[in-house]
Amino acid sequence: MPSESRMTQHLDPRSPWVISTHDLGKRPGTMRRTTLSLPAPADLGVDMIGVPKDAEVELDLRLEAVMEGVLVSGTAHAPLAGECARCLDPVTSDVEVNLQELFFYSGEDASEEDSLLDGELLDLEPTFRDAVVLALPLSPVCRDDCEGLCAECGIKLAEAGADHRHEKIDARWASLQGLISENDNDQEK
């Protein structure tokens, strides 16, 4: 008997990420290949980059009935959008991840972390979400040689040029800085 934490609401067969395994039956060795194009779920990403909501996700899957359940394996390809961690410019790219998950027929054979079938239905979204989030760069960059922003004034270093500098005055000598300009003014009079 599954524990309370493993009990879930029944899956909605109309949800795009819910896949029917009806044609596989519970006959080990039965296999089906499928290619799907699904809308990306919301809030799929990390701070600086992620998959835009409803972006087209291409899935190339193999569903295979095994003794314990249905083994889903394949690849998912999705677009990415975010901002450069160095200069904050927009960044776009894409990610391709490998998916592999065993959906157990019953909770008796599975551990608490394992996925379960809901009758003949499985929800592929959590598997996809986990794979994508692990593959995302934590600090995406617009290009490998991005110099970022000036820590003093915030200008993009790539646009500022090689001679961009700020006069640095040692705090110990800062009070003398005013004397130099006052002395220069006195000498000019």
Side-chain angles (χ1 to χ4, degrees):
M1 179 94 158
S3 67
E4 283 299 318
S5 63
R6 302 257 322 233
M7 297 296 239
T8 59
Q9 297 177 359
H10 288 290
L11 298 177
D12 180 0
R14 296 171 303 217
S15 173
W17 288 88
V18 173
I19 299 172
S20 173
T21 62
H22 175 75
D23 58 330
L24 298 176
K26 288 188 176 183
R27 299 180 309 274
T30 308
M31 194 258 307
R32 151 174 73 114
R33 288 195 173 274
T34 187
T35 303
L36 301 168
S37 181
L38 302 175
D43 302 321
L44 179 55
V46 292
D47 290 340
M48 301 293 287
I49 195 162
V51 179
K53 182 182 184 304
D54 294 329
E56 190 172 294
V57 177
E58 299 293 329
L59 297 162
D60 184 20
L61 301 173
R62 174 182 164 161
L63 286 79
E64 184 177 1
V66 295
M67 293 295 285
E68 302 86 4
V70 175
L71 177 64
V72 178
S73 55
T75 59
H77 186 204
L80 295 176
E83 55 188 20
C84 177
R86 296 181 188 160
C87 70
L88 304 178
D89 276 352
V91 173
T92 57
S93 64
D94 55 301
V95 65
E96 183 167 302
V97 293
N98 291 318
L99 305 174
Q100 186 165 17
E101 186 79 27
L102 177 59
F103 292 83
F104 286 86
Y105 291 126
S106 75
E108 295 171 6
D109 299 328
S111 72
E112 232 177 271
E113 295 84 34
D114 291 329
S115 300
L116 295 175
L117 284 163
D118 181 5
E120 296 174 335
L121 302 175
L122 61 88
D123 186 2
L124 200 54
E125 182 183 332
T127 302
F128 170 69
R129 184 178 292 278
D130 289 348
V132 168
V133 169
L134 290 174
L136 292 176
L138 293 177
S139 297
V141 291
C142 56
R143 54 184 209 281
D144 289 339
D145 63 344
C146 178
E147 297 177 45
L149 303 175
C150 174
E152 297 288 322
C153 65
I155 191 171
K156 288 184 186 174
L157 292 174
E159 296 171 1
D163 59 341
H164 179 75
R165 287 183 179 71
H166 294 277
E167 188 176 324
K168 295 187 189 234
I169 300 172
D170 188 329
R172 297 172 292 181
W173 300 100
S175 60
L176 295 177
Q177 185 67 25
L179 294 176
I180 293 173
S181 58
E182 288 174 16
N183 253 349
D184 290 343
N185 288 340
D186 289 342
Q187 290 176 359
E188 290 174 9
K189 292 182 184 178

